[in-house]
Amino acid sequence: MNEPLPEPVQILVVEDDAGDYGLLRATLRQAGLVAIGQTDTNVWAKTLAEAVAAVQCLAAPHVVLLDLSLPDSAGLATVRSMRAAAPELAIVVLTGHDDPALAADALEAGAQDYLVKGQIDRDALRRAVRNAMVRRRLECKVALNEARFHDFGSAASDWWFWEMDAQLRFSWFSPNAQQAIGRSPDAMLGLRRQEIAAQLSPDEKEMWAPHLEDLAHHRPFKQFEYRVALPGGAYQWLSISGVPIFDEAGGFCGFRGTGTNASERKAQQFALEQANRAAQAANVAKSRFLATMSHEIRTPMNGVLGMAQLMMTPHLQEAERLEYARTILNSGQTLLTLLNDILDLSKVEAGKLELESRAFDPSQILHETRLLFTETAAHKGLALIELWSGPAQHYLGDAHRLRQMVSNLVGNAIKFSSRGEIRIEAREVTCNGDTAQVEFSVTDSGIGIAQDKQEQLFQPFSQADNSTTREFGGTGLGLSIVRSLARVMDGDAGVESTFGQGSRFWFRIGVHRVAEGTDKRQAQRGQSVEVPADPTQSNLSGRVLVAEDNRINQMVIRALLAKLGLTCEVAGDGQQVVDALLACADADRPDLILMDLQMPVLDGYGATAKIRAWEAERGLPRMPIIALTADAFAEDRVRCISAGMDDFLSKPVDRETLAATLRRWLTDRA
């Protein structure tokens, strides 16, 4: 309050009584304050209108000495009108009434100080002028800050301001709090922070404990995050920061701070944590997969390599040689089954598995599966029983995959059973118009599965326990594939089992009924059991050109073709195949080409394209080109046919499949 006054001080006197004005002017001179227009009698304002005109036309005065009783205005209305005309002006009220209530009302109306006529001396006047100027300047600053605060608070879309009193009760929220929070904060006004925390769950109370401790000890805090319930049962996350407030004496007055809606950030954080957990789980799964694959591949490879070494032993008996060869073949087939299972599983998980939709008869699938496993079951003394519990009905579906799924269940049942019977059954579970649900099941009298081990059976590479793998073999992929295929077919798979008393594995699929009168011959042909002919009695003849860069594979295919009675020539890459064709006379052209895909110099696709172009240029008949490759995906087959090849064989080559394919093309060519 001891701030010096500016020089000169500009004061506007608003007084309608000339005598009072004269006394006031003399006191101003004694106080060292110079009134505006001291030498000009027309500048002092006798009415409110003159005062308003003066502040608008003259240089802005510092202070207005304002009489409350004017000819054109009286009372507090005079103060309000003057304040509206000059918002930044300091006002000292002059009145003839020594009334504290009136003084308080005048200050409430916008004045900064109050003087009673007849009690004004030099010091009182100087003190009132100084106080009014300083106080008004502070009020303007506060008003400006409040305006800024209000504008910032109103403009913010995701954060707001709040205050708590000394009892830690919410006492104020900025205007934008409702928009930022998503609900009215009025329900929280007057609530103590401890009362809010008392309604929380035990887990949330534990999370709030450090925050309540900060409040109790009047400590600042930053970004405390908590959940609040919204209408409808939803939740959102809020984040608040605050600092304690103290008065001039150091007494605690409460807290003041900011808040923000953290729901979006928490959702992103949660998604990131989920992705991180998924990535970690994927790494663990990958490690387990590699460890399992290493074990499952090394086991049959040990059979292949071990028996191959034994076959090199001199002076082998014929029976020993056949046993070793049979072991090598079985081990190789085990490896191939493992690879095929992995391919099937990867296709399902990638969403790339393509299903056929052709008519099939469930009873036929049961019959074929029983025939397929009859010899294996008989070898273990097991009886196989088939039963279709449904109408004489055909359905649309993928019969090939269904045989694969049923065969997988039957193979497991035989593997884990040492006595009794195995029932292969199917039934129509539900029917609604032309749609139905069909269930296939296989029931055995084997070792059974404990309740707590059943669900993990359908996870990749899972069995009841490790000893199961050691005793019975297998990779644990089969049931996972069955369930995956069933779910792709709008169904599911499961198991019912009692430990030591056998198991019942089932899967259900959604299908469409085939209407009566529909041609089912194609489906029946596709479902017939083909008895392969003895490849050694194939009666094949002709010349085959083989494109193969691997020396061992050259030896294998050369030997297989020789056993089939075919003449074989081998080229080490695609360009050698093209050169050999271009160099030979028409009469010496081979009858068929077995084309590898991945070769140096020129691959199988490029070689096929050159051959087809050469044939077209010379008007030659189309030579059968059959892909023989380790690429085993469906898209590989499609690409081969699109490139101009006629058929597709995958490695490792099966001699019966090779014989059947060659017989088809060489017979057609003849």
Side-chain angles (χ1 to χ4, degrees), residues 369-384:
T369 306
R370 185 180 66 82
L371 291 179
L372 182 64
F373 287 95
T374 295
E375 183 177 349
T376 306
H379 182 71
K380 296 189 68 174
L382 298 170
L384 285 182

Side-chain angles (χ1 to χ4, degrees), residues 36-104:
I36 296 177
Q38 201 168 14
T39 60
D40 186 351
T41 58
N42 294 322
V43 295
W44 126 64
K46 304 179 184 66
T47 64
L48 179 63
E50 291 179 2
V52 171
V55 297
Q56 292 177 348
C57 297
L58 301 176
H62 294 101
V63 180
V64 174
L65 301 179
L66 180 64
D67 187 12
L68 284 182
S69 299
L70 297 172
D72 56 350
S73 180
L76 299 177
T78 305
V79 181
R80 297 188 184 98
S81 298
M82 197 68 220
R83 171 58 62 221
E88 298 183 359
L89 198 61
I91 299 176
V92 178
V93 169
L94 304 174
T95 179
H97 303 283
D98 189 4
D99 184 355
L102 178 62

